[in-house]
Amino acid sequence: MSKLRIPIIPTIIVMAAVLVMIGLGIWQFQRRAEKAQALQLAASNPARPPVAFPQLSPVSPEILFRPSSVQCLRVIGWQVEAGRAADGSTGYRHIAQCATGAEGPGALVALGVTERPDAKVAWTGGQVAGWISEEPDHRALLTRIGGKAMPLRPMLIARTAPAGLKPSAPPSAADVPNNHLAYAVQWFFFAAVASIIYILALRRRNAPKSP
């Protein structure tokens, strides 16, 4: 019987990678519980007193969905996302990229919803009241499940909409997904796949060669 040959360095590398993936899966399980607590807190925030609009990310669970306001000095750009209006209809949410001073990060304001993505919005700025939320999440899946994604910027969801727009639906904790369980399962799956592939590679390497 031929002796099983196991390469030391590749085995160490694969084992380390598998342990890292398992560790990331356990970390995502812990994040799931933290996210559930944060969403429970945010669910009661719309009825609490107004707070100052945050200038920087991330948005703390203590102020997520709290009433707030922002002064948009001028609109420097627009982005259009799929969205839902306060009357339950769906459409396209128009988000103004606002300057709030001579310098600084500015502010994002979700002004309202239209039926067409190419609708022209005449709004040029002003004082806006609404609720603190976060910008739409377009971060790559792998960066999110690995915990390396940049935090989402704060965004104000306007309580009322200018002419030509429907008011956006108020923010709700039900609209914020808690995907950490799925992320944990994915990391465990990656670890299992890596282990199986390496075991198969070892079996093939140690298979008796035909004469």
Side-chain angles (χ1 to χ4, degrees), residues 157-210:
I157 298 179
R159 189 182 300 270
T160 60
L165 298 176
K166 293 181 179 181
S168 297
S172 169
D175 298 330
V176 182
N178 189 350
N179 295 326
H180 294 290
L181 177 59
Y183 295 160
V185 171
Q186 286 176 323
W187 278 122
F188 293 145
F189 175 75
F190 293 156
V193 169
S195 300
I196 292 172
I197 291 175
Y198 190 64
I199 291 172
L200 293 176
L202 286 178
R203 290 184 60 183
R204 183 174 181 180
R205 185 176 188 270
N206 288 280
K209 294 182 172 59
S210 56

Side-chain angles (χ1 to χ4, degrees), residues 34 86 89 92 94 100 146 159 163:
E34 295 171 0
S89 62
Y92 298 92
H94 292 258
T100 55
R159 189 182 300 270

Side-chain angles (χ1 to χ4, degrees), residues 33-203:
E34 295 171 0
K35 185 68 170 287
Q37 292 177 351
L39 291 178
Q40 185 176 8
L41 174 62
S44 62
N45 279 346
R48 299 177 67 189
V51 294
F53 185 78
Q55 296 298 314
L56 300 173
S57 56
V59 178
S60 168
E62 284 76 17
I63 63 171
L64 184 63
F65 303 159
R66 287 281 292 271
S68 186
S69 62
V70 67
Q71 176 69 31
C72 180
L73 297 180
R74 65 185 183 278
V75 178
I76 59 177
W78 292 93
Q79 63 189 79
V80 180
E81 306 279 344
R84 181 167 53 87
D87 62 6
S89 62
T90 57
Y92 298 92
R93 184 167 55 169
H94 292 258
I95 301 172
Q97 301 165 357
C98 290
T100 55
E103 297 179 356
L108 297 175
V109 179
L111 277 176
V113 177
T114 62
E115 295 181 355
R116 296 176 54 185
D118 57 350
K120 302 298 182 183
V121 182
W123 191 78
T124 58
Q127 185 76 17
V128 186
W131 302 275
I132 298 170
S133 184
E134 295 176 322
E135 67 178 315
D137 193 352
H138 297 303
R139 298 172 298 179
L141 176 62
L142 284 178
T143 60
R144 281 185 284 163
I145 64 178
K148 297 181 179 180
M150 293 293 290
L152 297 174
R153 293 175 296 173
M155 181 177 73
L156 187 78
I157 298 179
R159 189 182 300 270
T160 60
L165 298 176
K166 293 181 179 181
S168 297
S172 169
D175 298 330
V176 182
N178 189 350
N179 295 326
H180 294 290
L181 177 59
Y183 295 160
V185 171
Q186 286 176 323
W187 278 122
F188 293 145
F189 175 75
F190 293 156
V193 169
S195 300
I196 292 172
I197 291 175
Y198 190 64
I199 291 172
L200 293 176
L202 286 178
R203 290 184 60 183

